[in-house]
Amino acid sequence: MLRSLVGSEMCIRDSADKVNLAQREDFMNGKKRVAIISEAASSGISLQADVRKPNSQRRVHITLELAWSADQTIQQLGRSHRSNQKVPPVYKLLVTTLGGERRFATAVAKKLQ
């Protein structure tokens, strides 16, 4: 929970964190089929096909926007690729045909191999 000068903000953040944890558990237990995370909310979250969880189906990790750093992108992709997984995820990177974005996506893809 983030501490804040405004007490109500602290309560809202605590409540949002509880909702996020409940949503993640619903996904990992197979009650929800899709998990949507942002860069801000993805720190420390594991969404792999864990053999210890009811939902150990292969994950399809779709990235709509690559991080500015290839290393940061690799870390984000690691949210669905962890140890103790039943099957590795499939990655789908959605990119435009713009040269700069394609070059960056190619660099990220090479790091994944």
Side-chain angles (χ1 to χ4, degrees):
M1 175 170 56
L2 295 177
R3 298 251 178 231
S4 159
L5 295 175
V6 182
S8 62
E9 182 181 324
M10 185 171 60
C11 292
I12 291 168
R13 179 62 189 190
D14 184 42
S15 177
D17 288 344
K18 287 179 183 174
V19 168
N20 287 342
L21 289 173
Q23 295 289 327
R24 183 186 66 94
E25 284 305 308
D26 284 350
F27 175 75
M28 294 299 285
N29 290 327
K31 293 178 184 175
K32 294 195 179 264
R33 301 285 298 140
V34 176
I36 300 172
I37 59 172
S38 68
E39 182 179 342
S42 68
S43 181
I45 193 170
S46 297
L47 297 170
Q48 80 275 20
D50 195 323
V51 296
R52 300 167 295 186
K53 296 289 185 173
N55 180 10
S56 60
Q57 293 178 322
R58 181 181 306 273
R59 305 302 195 236
V60 178
H61 189 134
I62 302 170
T63 299
L64 299 176
E65 182 179 36
L66 295 172
W68 285 102
S69 156
D71 290 334
Q72 187 178 8
T73 298
I74 299 300
Q75 182 180 10
Q76 290 172 1
L77 295 176
R79 301 286 170 231
S80 59
H81 190 356
R82 304 264 183 171
S83 59
N84 207 39
Q85 65 186 6
K86 187 174 181 178
V87 291
V90 172
Y91 293 112
K92 295 185 183 277
L93 306 177
L94 302 180
V95 295
T96 66
T97 57
L98 297 174
E101 188 174 18
R102 290 190 82 154
R103 281 190 297 277
F104 184 70
T106 299
V108 170
K110 284 181 182 177
K111 280 196 163 199
L112 289 174
Q113 294 177 355

